[in-house]
Amino acid sequence: MSSQRSVWWILPAGLAAVVLLAAAAYAAYVFLSYSRIEDNVELEVTGDARSPVQTGREYTAVSYNIGFGAYTADFTFFMDGGKESRARSKESVLDCVNGTSGTALSFGPDIALFQEVDTDSTRSHHVNECQLIVDNFSEEGAWDSVFAQNYHSAYLMYPLSQPHGKSNSGILTLSRMDITSSLRRSLPIASGFKKIIDLDRCYSICRLPVENGKELVVFNAHLSAYGTDASQGSAQLQMLFGDMKKEYDKGNYVLCGGDFNHDFTGTSGEYFNPQSTESFSWCSPFPDDMIPDGFTKCTGYAEEFMHTSRYTDRPYSGDSLVFILDGFILSDNIDCTYVQNIDTGYQYTDHNPVVLKFILKDH
């Protein structure tokens, strides 16, 4: 009897050892499988748009973060304190992506910038959202398209009840005008453990010839959210603005749109959430003093002051925390004739689209 008592602990100790070994093996898998996408990657341009951009003509651009096709208005996300880690079904993903692309098309865009577009991710039931959007746009005429993979990740085992899984996500640019070439730029990201949370980040640069011999250079950006800090956010903007300034100094026209993961107006958080005391790194005020000379944020909204992103700790309601994170920045050789954040009720994604109308000056 005494010998049996002395070895009672062997089974639970063995099970604990197995659990620890499995956890260590998984941690090793996550870190060893992590790799950054190379910088300065030439991107493939597909499509049959051939028209050059004209000066003196009004064009329309739309920027829209589609939230990997998961965010119905009542969807909550685990990394924001919500409950869900994946879209509820493949059918829901298809409905959301068709909804966001249809909404974008309803504005009659000449240029469309999409962010958080999945191609083969567990969280979005392996729907190729890029191809779905391109197919939807192709029904409306000739388009050129460029996809830049923002990040890829190992299989995330959390939450244990429904793991987030692997992610392959990127940014998609479409244009009714000819895109002659495109480049992916890798942004500075967090180091150490934080890089597993924040993953990779990039922006794409698309070149559209203008009839006067210059180029309209379109930047599609999706800056860091989770795991970021002020210094990292500043480093990302400094790099982005540096590339934009180089193009402007060449005499080109520069249009930058996307999800900046900053409070784009600097005061939207206070305006929309006056009772809240919460603060988040991804919605700190946009550092206007970093914007280079010759560039302007488009914040002269034509209609109501409307938010573009909701915090997904709870289903969307009048009590949700909301902010302006998305927008456009233009060089001063482009006139902004209209800009507005559009209220969609977050029916298909946790972002609202931004619609811009602009004219290239002929000088």
Side-chain angles (χ1 to χ4, degrees), residues 231-300:
S231 62
Q232 179 189 329
S234 294
Q236 291 188 350
L237 286 170
Q238 185 175 14
M239 177 179 169
L240 173 63
F241 289 149
D243 276 352
M244 292 167 60
K245 185 67 162 56
K246 289 177 185 176
E247 296 301 331
Y248 176 72
D249 289 343
K250 294 177 187 176
N252 288 328
Y253 305 90
V254 180
L255 180 154
C256 177
D259 177 359
F260 293 94
N261 273 313
H262 283 76
D263 187 331
F264 195 64
T265 66
T267 59
S268 72
E270 299 172 6
Y271 179 86
F272 292 117
N273 316 289
Q275 307 303 321
S276 175
T277 59
E278 296 187 71
S279 62
F280 307 96
S281 61
W282 45 263
C283 60
S284 57
F286 196 97
D288 289 354
D289 57 347
M290 291 185 65
I291 300 174
D293 291 340
F295 289 87
T296 304
K297 284 190 313 181
C298 300
T299 55

Side-chain angles (χ1 to χ4, degrees), residues 133-176:
I133 294 172
V134 169
D135 289 346
N136 288 340
F137 270 66
S138 67
E139 295 178 2
E140 302 294 326
W143 293 84
D144 273 1
S145 64
V146 173
F147 179 78
Q149 185 156 349
N150 204 5
Y151 56 82
H152 52 218
S153 73
Y155 195 97
L156 179 63
M157 283 298 299
Y158 189 82
L160 293 177
S161 59
Q162 188 182 62
H164 192 58
K166 71 168 186 174
S167 296
N168 292 285
S169 192
I171 53 182
L172 174 64
T173 301
L174 297 109
S175 170
R176 288 190 187 272

Side-chain angles (χ1 to χ4, degrees), residues 68-72 75 84 86-97 122-127 129 162:
F68 66 89
Y71 293 85
T72 54
F75 185 89
E84 296 164 278
R86 303 178 184 178
R88 291 169 182 166
S89 66
K90 181 177 180 179
E91 291 71 27
S92 179
V93 173
L94 294 171
D95 183 61
C96 285
V97 177
T122 309
R123 64 188 188 177
S124 49
H125 299 270
H126 304 282
V127 172
E129 299 173 352
Q162 188 182 62

Side-chain angles (χ1 to χ4, degrees), residues 70-76 84 88 310 314-316 345-347:
Y71 293 85
T72 54
D74 58 348
F75 185 89
T76 66
E84 296 164 278
R88 291 169 182 166
R310 71 176 180 93
R314 69 193 76 173
Y316 176 59
Y346 300 104
Q347 184 177 3

